Amino acid sequence: FGMAVGDIMFSLSFATYGAMLPSCLDYYVWNAQGNQATCNVSGFMTAVGVLMSPLYTCSLNIYSLAIVKYYKTDSYIQKKMEPFLHGVPIVISLAFGFALLATQGYNSHGVSCIDPVYHPPHCIGIEDGQVREGFEIPCGRGSDGPSEIIFFVAFTFVVFVSPTTIGVTLGMMYRHVSQQERRMGR
């Protein structure tokens, strides 16, 4: 269920294709009709969705490993493991989502609102914090906080930690089943 929620949030954040982006960017983004608040909503949904799905995949693999290799019972899994298998993906993805929101980490980069720093084309040659005439959002928005570090840590989770966890758990299950097959074949 949690993986589906993450996938749905991620998909919905792109379903409006550009409509959630600030309308002041309509000079280079088709369908930009929103404002910074709609960009924040879209960015939050993207960040939470993109983190929740792979983290739930890790949970599913850990659940399978507990059954296949360690022969854990349903009652053990339900009482001891399940709260963590659901809690960790939800807490981590929401924590990163809210941290980026608090540090102004949802900014448009032309396709979505998941850029930690706001630097559209009209900001070229403009200092951070300045607002070009005819626009509302200050150039460099998000650059004065830790949003880039938070974004990097979240990116690391998606690109390195999740695939490593998935690979290790699948490898452990494969090795265990292969050893069982060899023993049974004797």
Side-chain angles (χ1 to χ4, degrees), residues 65-147:
L65 181 67
I67 291 173
V68 171
K69 183 172 179 172
Y70 298 108
Y71 305 107
K72 298 298 180 187
T73 63
D74 285 342
S75 63
Y76 177 87
I77 290 172
Q78 189 175 24
K79 291 177 184 164
K80 303 277 185 181
M81 292 179 66
E82 196 169 340
F84 295 102
L85 295 176
H86 287 290
V88 169
I90 291 169
V91 168
I92 288 176
S93 58
L94 287 176
F96 278 113
F98 283 117
L100 283 169
L101 186 64
T103 60
Q104 298 183 337
Y106 298 124
N107 299 293
S108 172
H109 64 75
V111 178
S112 67
C113 291
I114 196 69
D115 200 353
V117 180
Y118 183 71
H119 283 296
H122 71 265
C123 286
I124 296 172
I126 304 289
E127 289 186 34
D128 287 354
Q130 300 278 324
V131 179
R132 181 165 242 164
E133 188 176 328
F135 296 91
E136 301 168 2
I137 303 166
C139 296
R141 180 183 182 273
S143 64
D144 57 351
S147 63

Side-chain angles (χ1 to χ4, degrees), residues 9-10 12-14 16 20-22 35-51 93 96-98 100-101 104-109 111-116 141 151:
M9 287 181 73
F10 179 72
L12 284 176
S13 69
F14 284 97
T16 57
M20 302 287 266
L21 300 176
N35 54 30
Q36 189 56 52
T38 60
C39 194
N40 287 343
V41 170
S42 177
F44 182 83
M45 289 172 56
T46 302
V48 171
V50 82
L51 280 168
S93 58
F96 278 113
F98 283 117
L100 283 169
L101 186 64
Q104 298 183 337
Y106 298 124
N107 299 293
S108 172
H109 64 75
V111 178
S112 67
C113 291
I114 196 69
D115 200 353
R141 180 183 182 273
F151 186 81

